[in-house]
Amino acid sequence: MSLLTRMSYKKQKQLVIALFLFVPLTLLLTFSFLPVLTMIGYSFTSWNGYSKTVPFVGLDNYITLFTKPEYFSVFGVSLYYFVGSFVQMGLALWFAVILSQSLRFRNFFKGTLFFPYLLNGVAVGFIFLFFFKPDGTLDTVLRALGLGDAVQYWLKDPNIINVSLTGASIWRYIGFNFILFLGVISSISSDIYEAADLDGANKWQQFRYIIWPSILQVIQLNLILAVSGSISVFETPYVMTGGSNGSNTFVIQTVDVAFKYNKLGLASAMAVVLMVIVLIVTRVQQLWLKKRT
Amino acid sequence: MKKSIAGLIGALALLTLVGCAGNTADTSGKIAGKITVITQRTDIVDTVFKQYAADFKKVYPDVDVTFEAIADYESQIKIRMSTKDYGDVLLLPTSVPIADLPSFFEPLGDLGDLSKQYVGLEERSVGGKVYGLPLAVNYSGVVYNKKVFADAGVKTIPKTPDEFIAALKAVKAKTKAIPLYTNYAAGWTLTQWEAPLTTVAGSVDYVNVKQVASDDNFVPGQPHYELYKVLYDVAKEGLIEKDPTTTDWEQSKADLAHGKIATMVLGCWAINQIKALTTTPDDIGFLPFPTKAEKVIVPLADDYLQGINVNSKNKAAARAWLDWFTNKSDYANVQSGGMSAVVGAELPAILKDYKALGVEFALQTPAIAGQEGWVDLIDKEAQIGLWQPDFKKRIVEAAIGNKKESYDDIMKDLNKAWVAARAKITAKK
């Protein structure tokens, strides 16, 4: 203790900061950066995941990858999720604006909207499998509403399957966007609204000139997460369809190559390529947004 | 739709697979101590296995056996095997390349000696040493509901693909049952189709010997083409479930038991599970997979092999359990629905009727010396996935009109991959 008090205030501050940072940084290094580095290392080998020998093959894996366009054809599926992410953000923003006002049962609705995000992804997958089954929940509801004609084979029809899966994904992740928006909107001081009211601004004008400028940054953040998220979709389609019937994504493909066909080396190379793509896309997006604002 | 969590998971999974440990010294002498046995049977680990442990204790009073059951055995054990801590007795994962078995498992003895006692050891032996004993020897084909067939007016047992499809059509026309349930969604259930390849080939040599010597694995007239043609035709004719993408495995067993499903392509291990779900278990029967071959051969194949962790601290006790389990327990007959791997074991009752009809039950010929594991190597290199659901799903998708490709397109594609991979693997050796 005396050692601490003898230090200058600045030194103490630095020490405390270092101590606090130690834990998260160690976790980050051990569980993010170290695995990524090992993975990059594996991408230059043809390791099968078991052998004690790890044969070095140089750039072979990358050559295989880039000479076979079918590895990249699955990115088409990402477009569904990309479009879906705008629907998701729109809905989330809509609910956030409504529920930021004083409304009856508003905490209940907030909870309902956020709840799916807390659920385990595997559980969500199973819920939606049941939901989309022929004569399952969705069909029953549609028939009860007199919309029996709209009933489809939600997962069997290859033209609809990705829309259905995107829907499930929206339901699952909307709570996350919602809570981000709500947080920012709630932090806007009520004085501003009052002043706007006095000046005769209607709800739309309040949204356009008070809320919108304040949430712009969060929208940008959500946009970046949405794009990188739709490039690397995994959980929902993996649990629900295993990537079959035209719902395959790049990450599912990578997992298959690694664990079904024991090509850890090639799979690592695919993961590296995905990482690079996400980094580039995010960077481009940042630059573009910076120019705009 | 959020965050590239998947990338992180992938990276983590790769990290946890880092290198594995060497040997530790064996303690010999009196058989005593604690051992952990890892099993994939989550359903009976607390009941049947407890009883096994009690019976075992009567013979070896100083050994304590504890069990660990893993639901998703293959992928879970893979990760644990990168450490030294993967139990004392466990199943040899089929995804471990055969040549790598000696780094994980204790040799149990010479193939020549042990073959006098047990069958089915050849496939996973390395350098003349045996690394595991089969839990059971199983057979595969079509599990069916006899009552549904009777209701549909199918009187003779369908033998050829044409007869089989005719029988399914009769089921569709005359009963409410689903003629054949693919279990497409679960995925692994589709891999069961690969097991009766020997029946279609009509030769015990095909799988391990002729197949690796052939560049025509998926061309018309060859076993793989004919085998999966049945799946394609059945799906194309609308003789499968309404929506394959939302099938439910647990439910399908009950539906077959109660006559809502007529047939499923499965291994014998499923028969007892299905029988347990109905009050009329005698309705559940077994059909050899339809074949054009002269002689109907139902292949007998190993279930998982059970081996000993090379890092085990108590190998003597582990070996005692392994020998006891294989020779004395009723696992093979009762729990697996197959037969014991002990030489001279009797055929299960359900098969005895077929013996009278001239159906032969035989083990597949092991690979020629020096070519062990080639089928697997070529398969993985080509990313065909003989034991993966992928191309079976593709066939179903094409058959129900979800994909534009024809059956022949798929087969040509697979054969191309096979030829290229085979050239690569055989050149390496």
Side-chain angles (χ1 to χ4, degrees):
Chain A
M1 205 59 210
S2 59
L3 196 73
L4 261 182
T5 44
R6 245 184 288 141
M7 282 180 180
S8 70
Y9 175 69
K10 204 178 156 201
K11 274 261 168 65
Q12 284 185 32
K13 202 165 95 178
Q14 278 168 346
L15 183 72
V16 170
I17 290 176
L19 280 177
F20 270 107
L21 277 179
F22 178 73
V23 174
L25 278 183
T26 315
L27 289 175
L28 188 71
L29 284 175
T30 330
F31 295 108
S32 284
F33 290 105
L34 197 60
V36 168
L37 287 179
T38 354
M39 187 181 76
I40 293 174
Y42 285 142
S43 73
F44 299 110
T45 70
S46 65
W47 191 41
N48 63 12
Y50 290 100
S51 290
K52 303 248 156 104
T53 51
V54 181
F56 181 80
V57 294
L59 287 172
D60 269 13
N61 289 326
Y62 291 94
I63 294 168
T64 315
L65 209 53
F66 286 108
T67 46
K68 286 199 178 145
E70 54 272 31
Y71 282 117
F72 293 97
S73 62
V74 288
F75 277 121
V77 174
S78 293
L79 287 177
Y80 286 92
Y81 293 89
F82 182 64
V83 173
S85 61
F86 285 96
V87 176
Q88 178 180 324
M89 279 198 295
L91 282 174
L93 183 57
W94 168 255
F95 284 120
V97 171
I98 291 179
L99 291 178
S100 65
Q101 289 153 27
S102 51
L103 207 74
R104 201 178 296 216
F105 302 125
R106 101 179 219 248
N107 282 330
F108 168 77
F109 287 120
K110 276 189 209 164
T112 314
L113 275 168
F114 190 62
F115 175 65
Y117 186 68
L118 300 174
L119 283 180
N120 180 310
V122 179
V124 173
F126 281 111
I127 291 172
F128 274 93
L129 266 187
F130 197 80
F131 184 75
F132 286 130
K133 234 166 112 136
D135 306 321
T137 320
L138 181 57
D139 291 359
T140 318
V141 170
L142 284 176
R143 287 204 186 97
L145 293 172
L147 293 169
D149 294 341
V151 167
Q152 305 278 348
Y153 284 117
W154 302 106
L155 295 178
K156 184 186 166 191
D157 187 336
N159 301 316
I160 300 181
I161 180 166
N162 284 314
V163 179
S164 308
L165 291 177
T166 307
S169 188
I170 291 177
W171 183 82
R172 167 138 158 76
Y173 289 111
I174 196 168
F176 181 77
N177 297 84
F178 168 72
I179 220 77
L180 282 183
F181 286 134
L182 192 70
V184 185
I185 295 174
S186 315
S187 70
I188 302 172
S189 159
S190 56
D191 301 351
I192 303 179
Y193 292 113
E194 254 172 58
D197 264 339
L198 288 177
D199 287 342
N202 63 22
K203 286 280 178 219
W204 165 248
Q205 284 166 329
Q206 284 184 11
F207 173 78
R208 177 65 190 85
Y209 296 103
I210 302 175
I211 299 181
W212 183 255
S214 346
I215 60 169
L216 212 54
Q217 281 219 304
V218 177
I219 290 182
Q220 287 175 5
L221 170 73
N222 273 331
L223 205 63
I224 288 172
L225 288 176
V227 172
S228 59
S230 47
I231 293 174
S232 47
V233 198
F234 175 64
E235 224 173 39
T236 315
Y238 190 73
V239 175
M240 287 180 66
T241 66
S244 54
N245 204 12
S247 64
N248 206 359
T249 72
F250 196 75
V251 182
I252 294 181
Q253 196 174 257
T254 308
V255 169
D256 281 354
V257 169
F259 299 109
K260 274 187 184 165
Y261 302 111
N262 288 354
K263 293 184 180 172
L264 262 285
L266 182 60
S268 301
M270 292 168 78
V272 170
V273 169
L274 180 70
M275 190 172 73
V276 172
I277 293 177
V278 170
L279 285 178
I280 292 175
V281 170
T282 315
R283 186 73 198 132
V284 168
Q285 216 177 349
Q286 270 179 339
L287 290 176
W288 181 70
L289 286 171
K290 229 181 229 160
K291 232 188 210 166
R292 297 268 315 232
T293 45
Chain B
M1 177 160 312
K2 173 94 347 103
K3 301 186 285 184
S4 57
I5 247 179
L8 183 67
I9 291 174
L12 276 178
L14 294 182
L15 176 78
T16 47
L17 280 165
V18 190
C20 183
N23 290 4
T24 49
D26 194 1
T27 47
S28 49
K30 197 166 165 262
I31 296 177
K34 268 189 187 168
I35 54 168
T36 304
V37 175
I38 303 183
T39 165
Q40 88 286 26
R41 294 298 296 267
T42 42
D43 52 337
I44 52 171
V45 67
D46 291 325
T47 52
V48 179
F49 275 73
K50 281 268 151 64
Q51 186 56 44
Y52 286 159
D55 293 346
F56 178 70
K57 202 152 179 101
K58 284 178 200 148
V59 192
Y60 297 98
D62 297 327
V63 182
D64 287 318
V65 184
T66 48
F67 298 102
E68 240 179 88
I70 302 178
D72 186 6
Y73 184 77
E74 282 286 328
S75 49
Q76 298 286 317
I77 201 74
K78 193 185 244 184
I79 293 164
R80 279 186 64 174
M81 280 170 60
S82 62
T83 69
K84 286 184 186 176
D85 174 24
Y86 47 99
D88 296 292
V89 176
L90 71 158
L91 314 171
L92 276 54
T94 48
S95 47
V96 174
I98 293 169
D100 286 323
L101 289 175
S103 26
F104 300 104
F105 293 94
E106 180 73 8
L108 302 176
D110 287 327
L111 179 60
D113 298 339
L114 283 170
S115 312
K116 289 178 195 133
Q117 279 180 57
Y118 307 104
V119 297
L121 303 177
E122 292 84 357
E123 201 186 328
R124 291 188 175 266
S125 62
V126 185
K129 297 273 184 209
V130 173
Y131 291 90
L133 303 178
L135 288 176
V137 177
N138 291 336
Y139 54 94
S140 289
V142 180
V143 182
Y144 78 116
N145 189 308
K146 291 179 186 169
K147 189 163 175 298
V148 177
F149 266 40
D151 290 348
V154 180
K155 293 205 179 65
T156 51
I157 287 170
K159 215 186 120 189
T160 64
D162 291 341
E163 287 171 23
F164 183 64
I165 289 170
L168 295 185
K169 280 185 177 156
V171 168
K172 191 180 183 184
K174 292 182 193 148
T175 71
K176 278 189 176 157
I178 298 167
L180 184 141
Y181 198 77
T182 63
N183 263 312
Y184 169 101
W188 63 268
T189 34
L190 282 170
T191 66
Q192 304 287 312
W193 283 75
E194 185 65 21
L197 185 64
T198 298
T199 313
V200 179
S203 151
V204 286
D205 293 336
Y206 189 76
V207 175
N208 295 315
V209 182
K210 290 188 194 158
Q211 187 177 209
V212 286
S214 164
D215 263 344
D216 297 329
N217 202 358
F218 296 90
V219 289
Q222 292 301 309
H224 265 122
Y225 185 95
E226 300 300 326
L227 170 66
Y228 290 104
K229 189 81 168 64
V230 176
L231 175 61
Y232 181 82
D233 287 344
V234 169
K236 180 125 194 146
E237 300 275 357
L239 300 169
I240 59 168
E241 61 271 24
K242 215 163 41 160
D243 180 2
T245 49
T246 49
T247 58
D248 180 344
W249 160 243
E250 289 300 329
Q251 185 60 39
S252 77
K253 287 191 286 186
D255 286 351
L256 181 69
H258 297 127
K260 288 183 197 158
I261 291 171
T263 64
M264 296 203 276
V265 174
L266 288 171
C268 64
W269 50 267
I271 295 175
N272 286 347
Q273 291 185 26
I274 294 168
K275 281 187 170 182
L277 297 170
T278 165
T279 47
T280 51
D282 289 341
D283 283 350
I284 310 303
F286 172 83
L287 289 175
F289 196 86
T291 175
K292 292 177 185 162
E294 289 278 302
K295 195 162 177 52
V296 181
I297 305 171
V298 173
L300 297 173
D302 293 346
D303 196 323
Y304 268 118
L305 269 64
Q306 200 170 213
I308 299 172
N309 181 350
V310 74
N311 306 302
S312 166
K313 298 234 162 58
N314 205 341
K315 285 174 186 160
R319 184 62 195 266
W321 167 264
L322 190 56
D323 288 339
W324 182 88
F325 187 88
T326 313
N327 289 288
K328 303 284 187 231
S329 82
D330 63 2
Y331 182 87
N333 306 53
V334 179
Q335 299 307 330
S336 177
M339 54 184 269
S340 163
V342 177
V343 167
E346 241 184 284
L347 274 181
I350 201 164
L351 295 186
K352 282 187 184 144
D353 308 340
Y354 280 108
K355 205 129 202 198
L357 290 173
V359 174
E360 195 185 312
F361 296 89
L363 283 158
Q364 289 161 2
T365 319
I368 300 172
Q371 299 189 354
E372 292 94 348
W374 275 23
V375 177
D376 185 49
L377 281 176
I378 300 173
D379 177 44
K380 295 257 160 65
E381 175 61 35
Q383 294 189 26
I384 289 171
L386 294 175
W387 291 96
Q388 297 292 349
D390 306 31
F391 78 80
K392 290 92 180 168
K393 286 192 165 183
R394 210 170 135 192
I395 291 169
V396 174
E397 286 158 22
I400 60 177
N402 280 8
K403 283 210 161 111
K404 290 209 178 67
E405 52 189 358
S406 70
Y407 182 68
D408 283 348
D409 293 341
I410 300 175
M411 288 294 128
K412 265 185 203 142
D413 215 26
L414 293 178
N415 206 59
K416 210 175 107 197
W418 174 268
V419 172
R422 190 178 160 265
K424 203 167 165 187
I425 297 293
T426 48
K428 247 190 228 169
K429 300 285 159 178

